[in-house]
Amino acid sequence: MMEQHLGLKNLLVLLFSLLSICLSEQLQSSQAKTLLRIQNLLNYPTALSSWNNGTDFCNTEPSSTVTVICYEKSITQLHIIGEKGASQLPENFSIDSFVTTLVKLPSLKVLRLVSLGLWGSLPSKLSGLSSLEILDLSSNFFHSDIPQEISSLTSLQTLILDGNKFTGRLPNELGSLVVLAVLSVKNNSLDGHLPDTLGNLHNLRVLSLSRNNFTGDVPDLSSVENLQVLDLEDNSLGPKFPQVTSKIQSIVLRNNKFTAGIPEEVQSYHQLEHMDISSNRFMGPFPPSLLSLPSITYLNVAGNKLTGMLFEDNQCNAGLDFVDLSTNLLSGRLPSCLLTGPKNRIMHYSNNCLATGDRTQHPFSFCRTEALAVGILPHHHKQKPASKVVLALIICGSITGGVVLVCAAIILVRNFLAKKDAPKTTRSIVETASSTYTSKLFTDAKYVTRAMKLGSLSLPSYRTFSSEELKVATNNFDLATFIGNSYDDQMYRGQLKDGSYIAIRCLKTKRNNSIQNFMHHIELMSKLRHQHLVSTLGHCFECYLDDSSVSRIFLIFEYVPNGTLRSWISDTHAKRRLTWTQRIAAAIGVARGMQFLHTGFVPGIFSNNIKTTDILLDQNLVAKICSYNLPILAENVKENFQNLSTNSKELKSTRAIYEEKLDVYDFGVILLEIISGRQINTKKEVRVIQNQLQESIMANAVSRKNVVDPAIRNSCSDESLKTMMELCCRCLVQDTEDRPSVEDVIWNLQFAAQVEDAWRRDSSSSDASPISHLYNFQTNLSRNSNSSPV
């Protein structure tokens, strides 16, 4: 009985083995037929010439052109590499039939079909290869969109679609491929913004999107913690530098539209080996520490607008093989480490303002002028998101946008008084090329204060510009004149026929807005002028041809060429620093500009948060405020007027005094920088230096000189210095009620100026010209004659 049982068991094993062999042979036969069918569909390429009915595909020797790998008799890898530059397959080729055949190999984990002449729109049925981990279809002729169904290949670790003709956008759905480590779509015709979902690819190590038509900012990749290679060359991306982690090893941004500065965190990319940001419009300072990054071997920043000074003792990485600093605005001397490095190091540095003694460099004045011309301001520590990097953006974004607040109150007051004092009339404002406006607005004391009238003296006349004039000034808005942009406008620098520079802000408007809708803004803007504010020079309307509604508004501003106040008092690399008398003059100018903002309109403009980086100096070193608390031009003008007017009286009566003292505090911080010559960016720094001033006031003249900027400590009178210190400390007291008024501030500043002038006359000093004639005590003061200094 037992022998019968064992015999039956052996028989079953034998039958099962025979069945397995049969099924395996059938499976192998099926796969072989599939591969031979692929050979036929590919038009029998040279790489597959050895395939025939007798080929044992799972045991063929791999080569550089063909590899078939099996696991447990199932094909798991298929590599077919054609000849480089292979032509497109014949017209009878069907990509749909080809993919239908491919999916008969369901165990495929690696599929590489390179340079085979494949063409057509990639079918979504490719998602049938659900086991794929690597897909490489590069150097073919695929066109149309990348199918979003690729996102269903959830095991995909590598996706390479380089060198095809794909168009459209990169699918958002790619962000669901959570194990994807390599994404490369180089050399296609993809366009549009990059999907934010790229930030979800936490395992991504290589992101290569070069030679496409992508636009806009690069999505935040700071959460892609394993990213090592970022290649975005030859697109239209920008303006902000991409956000990546410190694990990055290669960054290639060459030939895009990046215009912002190099962020400080790049200096902490200790694994960065290759960096190419050339042929963009990067502005701001070049960090010399990039030369000494511990892993850097290739650094190319050529063809930008990077500024700053290099020094001979700057450090370099000994492994740095390639450096290109050419065609920027760099000054100073080449680091000696670049000149004494390995013999095989390649280095370019022409077209800067470096002191090299050869003809490849511009004079220093060229770089300074060019930097100011494109609105590059000196680099500072972290500031508010309202960027201080682009000069014209500061000028225009601040002045123009906020016309609503001021215009609203003036228009309502005028209408109210017009109803009260005269019969109701209507007035139409016609857009003409006139250089002046004869409106009652500027001459009636009911609407405009004396300070506003005085502040408008000696400024260019406001006028209307033609679109042709602006096109000539900007060479038809050439890219070289582009300064920057925000969410609702674009900025350009132009040069008029008389040689003067202007800043132009272009705003797009919603349709069905007539010229009349904006004329109240334009009329007020023509009066928004003061010698210590950056002034508007004019405007231009562009209209739709079909309904004559406004399509774009161009707002033109004066160009202020001499940098920020901070760059003249606390920039350690500046060759020239303001003298003490010039600093007092600048402080008086800022105070007068602030007074105008408070009293030149009803209601006043308060809470301006002015810093030394918001104060520009013109060619005569006259201080001009370029950033203050004015909202952006509203779409719904009437509604904005109503919202502002209902609270204008309340603002004047209950908030104006408090908000004035907020501005006085900010002015105190400005004085602190003027006196100490140190950049101040935090409240803690304010308290520390303020305490030093207070202690020195109670001490002697020697102690006071010790806390003063070394550049001017030996060229100012003690009485003038003490007056400025006392005023500064009063502006910074915690209790707002104890802070001086703006009129008090101006009076004490002028006292300090007079004392300084008297001291200089007595000591026969010629360090600086007197400023008391510029800021006479009797000019524009509202204080009583018996006022005394602090």
Side-chain angles (χ1 to χ4, degrees):
M1 188 72 177
M2 189 165 185
E3 291 178 355
Q4 290 179 351
H5 179 72
L6 289 173
L8 180 62
K9 183 177 180 180
N10 290 335
L11 180 61
L12 290 173
V13 170
L14 178 61
L15 290 174
F16 180 78
S17 299
L18 292 174
L19 180 62
S20 298
I21 293 172
C22 182
L23 289 174
S24 176
E25 289 177 349
Q26 289 179 357
L27 180 62
Q28 189 171 0
S29 175
S30 173
Q31 291 181 132
K33 289 181 180 179
T34 298
L35 291 179
L36 293 174
R37 173 64 175 164
I38 288 174
Q39 179 190 38
N40 174 261
L41 293 172
L42 291 177
N43 202 27
Y44 297 94
T46 304
L48 306 183
S49 59
S50 62
W51 284 6
N52 54 56
N53 290 327
T55 302
D56 183 1
F57 291 103
C58 286
N59 291 301
T60 56
E61 191 71 24
S63 70
S64 59
T65 56
V66 181
T67 299
V68 178
I69 295 178
C70 302
Y71 178 73
E72 293 183 350
K73 300 300 182 179
S74 294
I75 297 176
T76 57
Q77 295 191 34
L78 176 61
H79 306 246
I80 306 176
I81 313 300
E83 296 180 1
K84 187 175 182 179
S87 57
Q88 186 172 299
L89 289 171
E91 291 186 3
N92 61 356
F93 171 76
S94 170
I95 187 61
D96 190 73
S97 298
F98 183 78
V99 173
T100 301
T101 302
L102 273 177
V103 296
K104 293 180 180 178
L105 302 174
S107 299
L108 272 180
K109 292 182 179 296
V110 178
L111 177 62
R112 296 185 65 223
L113 304 172
V114 179
S115 298
L116 297 177
L118 302 172
W119 62 272
S121 179
L122 192 60
S124 59
K125 63 178 65 176
L126 187 68
S127 60
L129 295 171
S130 58
S131 299
L132 272 184
E133 296 176 359
I134 298 175
L135 175 61
D136 183 356
L137 301 177
S138 56
S139 301
N140 285 290
F141 298 90
F142 290 110
H143 57 72
S144 301
D145 294 348
I146 298 173
Q148 63 184 32
E149 285 79 7
I150 281 185
S151 62
S152 64
L153 302 176
T154 55
S155 299
L156 204 60
Q157 299 175 22
T158 297
L159 176 60
I160 302 176
L161 302 176
D162 300 344
N164 283 282
K165 297 182 178 181
F166 285 110
T167 57
R169 298 197 170 198
L170 208 58
N172 284 319
E173 291 77 10
L174 289 177
S176 63
L177 297 175
V178 293
V179 298
L180 193 67
V182 176
L183 174 59
S184 184
V185 294
K186 296 186 297 185
N187 197 19
N188 280 281
S189 297
L190 297 164
D191 57 26
H193 288 241
L194 297 177
D196 291 337
T197 54
L198 290 177
N200 300 333
L201 301 175
H202 300 294
N203 290 296
L204 196 65
R205 295 182 180 275
V206 176
L207 179 59
S208 185
L209 310 176
S210 61
R211 300 182 186 87
N212 281 283
N213 301 309
F214 294 119
T215 58
D217 276 326
V218 180
D220 187 350
L221 301 175
S222 57
S223 61
V224 186
E225 56 268 16
N226 294 311
L227 188 64
Q228 298 174 349
V229 176
L230 179 63
D231 182 5
L232 304 177
E233 180 179 355
D234 282 331
N235 281 284
S236 295
L237 295 164
K240 295 180 182 179
F241 196 97
Q243 294 178 277
V244 296
T245 72
S246 58
K247 292 183 179 180
I248 195 74
Q249 296 179 9
S250 175
I251 299 177
V252 180
L253 308 180
R254 177 183 175 86
N255 197 21
N256 275 278
K257 294 184 178 180
F258 293 101
T259 60
I262 301 175
E264 291 183 2
E265 51 264 30
V266 174
Q267 302 174 60
S268 65
Y269 293 170
H270 297 312
Q271 299 182 41
L272 186 62
E273 300 174 5
H274 185 110
M275 182 176 181
D276 186 349
I277 62 171
S278 59
S279 301
N280 282 280
R281 284 182 60 83
F282 279 109
M283 296 186 291
F286 166 74
S289 58
L290 293 182
L291 298 168
S292 60
L293 287 175
S295 303
I296 195 74
T297 60
Y298 184 104
L299 179 63
N300 189 349
V301 299
N304 287 289
K305 297 290 183 181
L306 296 172
T307 59
M309 186 170 290
L310 300 179
F311 297 93
E312 288 182 320
D313 60 352
N314 287 139
Q315 301 298 309
C316 306
N317 185 335
L320 194 56
D321 296 326
F322 182 95
V323 183
D324 194 345
L325 308 176
S326 58
T327 318
N328 279 284
L329 304 174
L330 302 174
S331 56
R333 295 183 177 275
L334 277 174
S336 57
C337 59
L338 290 178
L339 302 173
T340 59
K343 292 183 179 180
N344 60 346
R345 175 181 291 164
I346 299 174
M347 183 173 63
H348 304 290
Y349 52 86
S350 61
N351 294 315
N352 282 285
C353 297
L354 297 166
T356 60
D358 57 50
R359 295 184 179 181
T360 65
Q361 303 296 313
H362 300 290
F364 174 77
S365 57
F366 171 86
C367 287
R368 180 170 181 81
T369 302
E370 284 295 303
L372 293 171
V374 296
I376 301 175
L377 300 181
H379 175 70
H380 307 295
H381 294 295
K382 291 183 179 180
Q383 298 174 342
K384 279 191 169 185
S387 174
K388 306 297 190 298
V389 175
V390 182
L391 174 62
L393 186 59
I394 300 173
I395 296 172
C396 304
S398 301
I399 297 179
T400 308
V403 168
V404 174
L405 175 63
V406 181
C407 184
I410 292 179
I411 298 299
L412 288 167
V413 171
R414 181 177 62 181
N415 290 342
F416 173 79
L417 293 173
K419 291 178 181 179
K420 180 178 180 181
D421 298 336
K424 185 176 181 180
T425 59
T426 59
R427 179 170 66 91
S428 63
I429 302 175
V430 180
E431 169 73 350
T432 69
S434 172
S435 63
T436 61
Y437 287 84
T438 59
S439 169
K440 177 182 178 183
L441 176 65
F442 192 53
T443 58
D444 196 327
K446 296 177 182 178
Y447 314 128
V448 184
T449 67
R450 182 169 177 267
M452 183 175 180
K453 295 178 185 178
L454 289 173
S456 67
L457 299 178
S458 303
L459 293 175
S461 298
Y462 187 96
R463 68 182 178 91
T464 301
F465 288 76
S466 67
S467 58
E468 290 75 16
E469 188 176 4
L470 298 183
K471 288 179 181 178
V472 171
T474 59
N475 192 21
N476 200 23
F477 294 97
D478 186 82
L479 183 61
T481 67
F482 179 74
I483 296 175
N485 64 285
S486 62
Y487 71 95
D488 64 344
D489 61 19
Q490 293 178 317
M491 295 297 307
Y492 296 88
R493 174 179 59 91
Q495 187 176 21
L496 300 178
K497 290 183 178 180
D498 63 3
S500 61
Y501 284 98
I502 55 175
I504 305 169
R505 183 187 185 194
C506 173
L507 301 100
K508 292 183 179 180
T509 67
K510 291 185 177 179
R511 206 174 178 97
N512 300 323
N513 275 315
S514 68
I515 289 177
Q516 298 300 325
N517 289 348
F518 298 102
M519 285 311 298
H520 287 304
H521 292 276
I522 296 302
E523 186 174 8
L524 177 63
M525 196 177 301
S526 69
K527 314 307 177 189
L528 185 64
R529 306 162 74 74
H530 190 276
Q531 62 179 336
H532 295 298
L533 299 181
V534 175
S535 299
T536 51
L537 302 180
H539 69 279
C540 172
F541 287 133
E542 271 192 2
C543 300
Y544 293 105
L545 295 177
D546 52 355
D547 61 1
S548 297
S549 63
V550 177
S551 60
R552 291 195 296 180
I553 304 175
F554 296 94
L555 303 171
I556 296 88
F557 301 88
E558 67 171 319
Y559 200 84
V560 184
N562 233 347
T564 66
L565 177 60
R566 174 173 285 185
S567 68
W568 282 81
I569 60 176
S570 59
D571 186 347
T572 56
H573 295 152
K575 287 190 174 181
R576 183 181 173 191
R577 308 285 284 276
L578 291 185
T579 64
W580 181 243
T581 53
Q582 289 170 332
R583 295 185 192 210
I584 299 176
I588 294 175
V590 175
R592 287 187 179 279
M594 193 164 63
Q595 181 190 43
F596 173 72
L597 293 173
H598 292 178
T599 63
F601 305 96
V602 180
I605 304 172
F606 300 95
S607 301
N608 295 292
N609 195 25
I610 302 171
K611 301 180 180 66
T612 53
T613 49
D614 300 319
I615 301 161
L616 305 177
L617 301 182
D618 68 7
Q619 60 274 16
N620 299 316
L621 299 182
V622 174
K624 292 175 177 284
I625 300 173
C626 67
S627 178
Y628 38 86
N629 186 26
L630 290 177
I632 294 174
L633 196 64
E635 289 290 344
N636 192 328
V637 177
K638 292 182 180 180
E639 180 181 348
N640 193 56
F641 282 173
Q642 292 169 357
N643 292 339
L644 289 170
S645 65
T646 55
N647 291 322
S648 61
K649 188 176 295 185
E650 179 185 354
L651 283 171
K652 186 64 179 177
S653 61
T654 63
R655 295 179 58 188
I657 296 176
Y658 172 75
E659 292 183 336
E660 177 192 25
K661 298 303 179 71
L662 293 180
D663 284 337
V664 169
Y665 178 89
D666 292 332
F667 184 79
V669 178
I670 292 172
L671 287 182
L672 212 56
E673 274 199 44
I674 287 176
I675 295 170
S676 67
R678 294 160 59 181
Q679 295 184 11
I680 300 174
N681 300 295
T682 67
K683 288 186 177 181
K684 181 179 180 180
E685 292 173 323
V686 171
R687 289 193 298 270
V688 170
I689 304 177
Q690 179 190 0
N691 290 336
Q692 293 175 353
L693 289 191
Q694 288 174 329
E695 292 175 1
S696 67
I697 291 172
M698 303 302 295
N700 52 36
V702 175
S703 297
R704 284 190 283 277
K705 292 292 179 70
N706 287 337
V707 297
V708 175
D709 184 358
I712 50 91
R713 66 172 50 153
N714 295 321
S715 58
C716 61
S717 70
D718 181 62
E719 188 175 2
S720 172
L721 176 60
K722 186 177 180 181
T723 301
M724 291 281 282
M725 286 181 169
E726 289 174 338
L727 176 61
C728 176
C729 290
R730 281 192 63 199
C731 291
L732 296 174
V733 296
Q734 293 300 311
D735 192 340
T736 56
E737 294 182 358
D738 292 337
R739 295 172 192 163
S741 66
V742 176
E743 287 74 19
D744 285 327
V745 168
I746 294 175
W747 198 95
N748 282 276
L749 291 172
Q750 290 174 326
F751 178 81
Q754 187 186 50
V755 169
E756 182 68 16
D757 284 346
W759 178 77
R760 289 185 177 281
R761 286 194 298 271
D762 291 342
S763 60
S764 300
S765 172
S766 59
D767 177 61
S769 59
I771 59 173
S772 57
H773 297 293
L774 297 176
Y775 297 107
N776 189 278
F777 274 104
Q778 304 303 320
T779 304
N780 207 20
L781 286 179
S782 61
R783 292 177 55 88
N784 296 326
S785 59
N786 60 351
S787 299
S788 61
V790 176

